[in-house]
């Protein structure tokens, strides 16, 4: 009887800690960040890419399926053009005013 109470208390404590720490959600957020922001994971080699894609597919299967079904774009997205004189050239709308 005492063993059952101890096991139940340990299970409740473990469930509470897992609920507070949310390791599954944190792992999914990490994989999403790695896939979304192409940085070091692209340069990390095929093994790292495979792990990241596998973790993303396991933690977010619907999003992974949607990404895999989407057609590849031919042209890369152009980088935004930076205006060095943005402060001098900004409009009333850029300053927070109404148009």
């Amino acid at each position: 009887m005492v063993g059952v109470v101890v096991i139940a208390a340990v299970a409740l404590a473990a469930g509470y800690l897992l609920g507070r720490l949310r390791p599954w959600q944190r792992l999914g957020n990490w994989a999403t960040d790695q896939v979304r922001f192409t940085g070091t994971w692209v340069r990390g080699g095929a093994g790292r890419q495979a792990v990241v894609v596998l973790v993303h597919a396991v933690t977010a299967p619907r999003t992974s399926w949607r990404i895999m079904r989407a057609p590849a774009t031919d042209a890369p997205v152009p980088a935004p053009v930076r205006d060095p004189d943005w402060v001098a050239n900004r409009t009333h709308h850029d300053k927070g005013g109404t148009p």
Side-chain angles (χ1 to χ4, degrees), residues 4-59:
V4 173
V5 172
V6 170
I7 291 173
V10 169
L12 285 173
Y16 174 77
L17 286 175
L18 286 175
R20 295 293 291 173
L21 297 176
R22 297 174 294 193
W24 190 257
Q25 183 179 6
R26 289 177 188 260
L27 184 64
N29 290 344
W30 173 81
T32 301
D33 288 343
Q34 296 298 310
V35 171
R36 181 177 298 141
F37 305 111
T38 56
T40 57
W41 86 279
V42 175
R43 296 183 297 272
R48 179 175 162 84
Q49 289 178 8
V51 167
V52 168
V53 170
L54 179 65
V55 168
H56 189 268
V58 169
T59 57

Side-chain angles (χ1 to χ4, degrees), residues 62-73:
R62 289 181 184 167
T63 305
S64 298
W65 182 250
R66 184 178 46 80
I67 290 171
M68 287 187 285
R69 286 189 357 206
T73 57

